[in-house]
Amino acid sequence: QKEVEQDPGPLSVPEGAIVSLNCTYSNSAFQYFMWYRQYSRKGPELLMYTYSSGNKEDGRFTAQVDKSSKYISLFIRDSQPSDSATYLCAMTDSNYQLIWGAGTKLIIKP
Amino acid sequence: ETGVTQTPRHLVMGMTNKKSLKCEQHLGHNAMYWYKQSAKKPLELMFVYNFKEQTENNSVPSRFSPECPNSSHLFLHLHTLQPEDSALYLCASSQVGRDSGNTIYFGEGSWLTVV
């Protein structure tokens, strides 16, 4: 079993829809949780990072962590074609070792 | 501008060539990384340098040789590569510690094609 599971997609939704991207993990020691966005042929860029459980909002993006279920989510409101990209989740334990999901490819149809 | 600069952005090399990828970070971070990203595969961590000391080498073939002369610069020396080494090579940096939890920042990547 992989430490971090992420559906590769592609996930295709119409413009304006609410998008939900998810990762599950097995290691209860994970404390920091991150979401990265990667456009085609570019390096990943940090979108959001959260510590421990709870929600964090930044504009149209909301990151949610449920440590009891070992489940993290990224919600995108009012999705735009420019949000089309691959979204990667990542998390670290107390030793700061970074573990990556495989990434979900998101397509927003105009 | 990501704060992490990689050169060259694109590189085509023959299997007998020797070339180097260069990375520079302008963020004052204490750790630097090389990752390999192949099509439809997750990011693969190759090397980690913490305060210029190599702390991780994930069973990377010896045809890849890292060099970290100071905390801002990182090189990946390439020699006698194979076609399967063609991939996007990403440099990253981070400030490892309690406040940031090792949030890393990537460069734009160097696209390598081995012919």
Side-chain angles (χ1 to χ4, degrees):
Chain A
Q1 183 191 8
K2 295 178 186 174
E3 279 195 281
V4 178
E5 298 276 1
Q6 185 176 12
D7 188 332
L11 175 63
S12 183
V13 301
E15 183 176 356
I18 295 175
V19 175
S20 173
L21 301 164
N22 311 294
C23 288
T24 58
Y25 62 94
S26 56
N27 187 348
S28 57
F30 288 143
Q31 297 182 4
Y32 294 88
F33 304 89
M34 287 147 269
W35 285 96
Y36 287 79
R37 177 176 62 197
Q38 185 175 21
Y39 291 115
S40 180
R41 305 185 72 82
K42 297 273 192 176
E45 57 175 322
L46 179 67
L47 267 182
M48 309 271 289
Y49 102 86
T50 54
Y51 172 70
S52 197
S53 285
N55 290 0
K56 185 173 183 179
E57 191 174 318
D58 183 1
R60 296 184 295 111
F61 298 90
T62 300
Q64 191 174 79
V65 175
D66 182 346
K67 290 192 76 178
S68 61
S69 301
K70 298 192 183 71
Y71 190 88
I72 68 170
S73 300
L74 178 71
F75 297 98
I76 307 174
R77 291 187 302 280
D78 187 26
S79 55
Q80 306 293 312
S82 58
D83 295 326
S84 298
T86 296
Y87 290 79
L88 301 112
C89 64
M91 45 202 80
T92 65
D93 57 20
S94 55
N95 294 321
Y96 307 117
Q97 185 176 10
L98 201 63
I99 307 297
W100 292 89
T104 298
K105 184 173 183 178
L106 174 65
I107 301 168
I108 308 296
K109 297 176 293 186
Chain B
E1 177 60 45
T2 65
V4 180
T5 306
Q6 286 186 245
T7 55
R9 293 293 317 278
H10 296 88
L11 177 63
V12 179
M13 60 186 288
M15 288 190 284
T16 58
N17 290 159
K18 287 186 181 181
K19 297 282 184 184
S20 297
L21 306 180
K22 179 184 174 182
C23 178
E24 182 175 0
Q25 60 103 353
H26 316 276
L27 301 169
H29 287 164
N30 58 13
M32 294 187 76
Y33 310 77
W34 280 115
Y35 278 88
K36 176 183 178 182
Q37 189 175 39
S38 304
K40 299 185 180 180
K41 285 187 176 181
L43 287 167
E44 299 175 48
L45 179 63
M46 299 175 73
F47 302 104
V48 181
Y49 278 83
N50 237 328
F51 296 100
K52 301 185 297 178
E53 300 294 324
Q54 185 176 317
T55 58
E56 198 157 339
N57 173 348
N58 281 350
S59 302
V60 179
S62 59
R63 57 186 184 269
F64 295 92
S65 173
E67 178 190 359
C68 187
N70 56 59
S71 57
S72 299
H73 293 86
L74 186 64
F75 295 89
L76 187 62
H77 303 300
L78 315 169
H79 63 98
T80 59
L81 295 191
Q82 304 297 312
E84 60 265 28
D85 296 322
S86 299
L88 178 65
Y89 288 85
L90 290 159
C91 175
S93 71
S94 72
Q95 184 66 23
V96 179
R98 185 184 292 271
D99 293 335
S100 60
N102 202 16
T103 307
I104 73 171
Y105 295 84
F106 287 91
E108 293 284 3
S110 295
W111 280 97
L112 173 66
T113 303
V114 181
V115 297

